[in-house]
Amino acid sequence: MTVSRSSQENNRAIGRLASLVGNVVANLEAPSFHKQLNEVVAECNAALEVCLEAQRDASDRDESVMTAAEELKQLARLLTVVDRADAVIIMRQIRRILGRCDVASA
């Protein structure tokens, strides 16, 4: 099985983001003398934006983009199986989709 170059780049970017999120957590738990919290957060935000932009670009090219109904069905299933802490993340995604639906119907 061959992994495309863009997929490999995306995986690296997500891995880097995960590492940077870990750095933010570490700095919150024990402030570092090497990097200030605002530097670590800024670096993490920049990496997050790169990942989100790559996802947007991929979605623009992808003809099988999920509809709001499909996303809501998937999130509803996830809501029943994730632990309580992760449920909040799922609920925020549901709120985001419902907001899109509300704007579209206005």
Side-chain angles (χ1 to χ4, degrees), residues 1-49:
M1 184 166 121
T2 307
V3 178
S4 72
R5 183 182 185 118
S6 64
S7 178
Q8 289 174 338
E9 290 171 0
N10 191 33
N11 289 344
R12 275 194 297 274
I14 290 172
R16 180 172 185 270
L17 175 60
S19 175
L20 291 170
V21 169
N23 291 348
V24 171
V25 171
N27 200 297
L28 287 169
E29 293 177 342
S32 170
F33 293 108
H34 302 291
K35 280 194 174 182
Q36 297 293 319
L37 179 61
N38 62 342
E39 292 177 62
V40 177
V41 169
E43 190 176 6
C44 188
N45 271 329
L48 176 62
E49 289 304 319

Side-chain angles (χ1 to χ4, degrees), residues 15-17 26-27 35 38 42-43 49 56 59 61 64 80 86 94 97 101-103 106:
R16 180 172 185 270
L17 175 60
N27 200 297
K35 280 194 174 182
N38 62 342
E43 190 176 6
E49 289 304 319
R56 280 186 213 110
S59 293
R61 290 187 307 269
S64 64
T80 62
D86 292 336
I94 291 170
I97 295 165
C101 293
D102 194 34
V103 168

Side-chain angles (χ1 to χ4, degrees), residues 45-86:
N45 271 329
L48 176 62
E49 289 304 319
V50 166
C51 287
L52 288 173
E53 191 60 38
Q55 290 298 319
R56 280 186 213 110
D57 290 345
S59 293
D60 289 346
R61 290 187 307 269
D62 188 2
E63 294 179 12
S64 64
V65 174
M66 272 197 265
T67 65
E70 291 168 333
E71 280 186 273
L72 287 170
K73 286 177 191 174
Q74 182 181 40
L75 291 170
R77 283 191 300 273
L78 285 173
L79 197 54
T80 62
V81 297
V82 297
D83 62 26
R84 198 166 180 83
D86 292 336

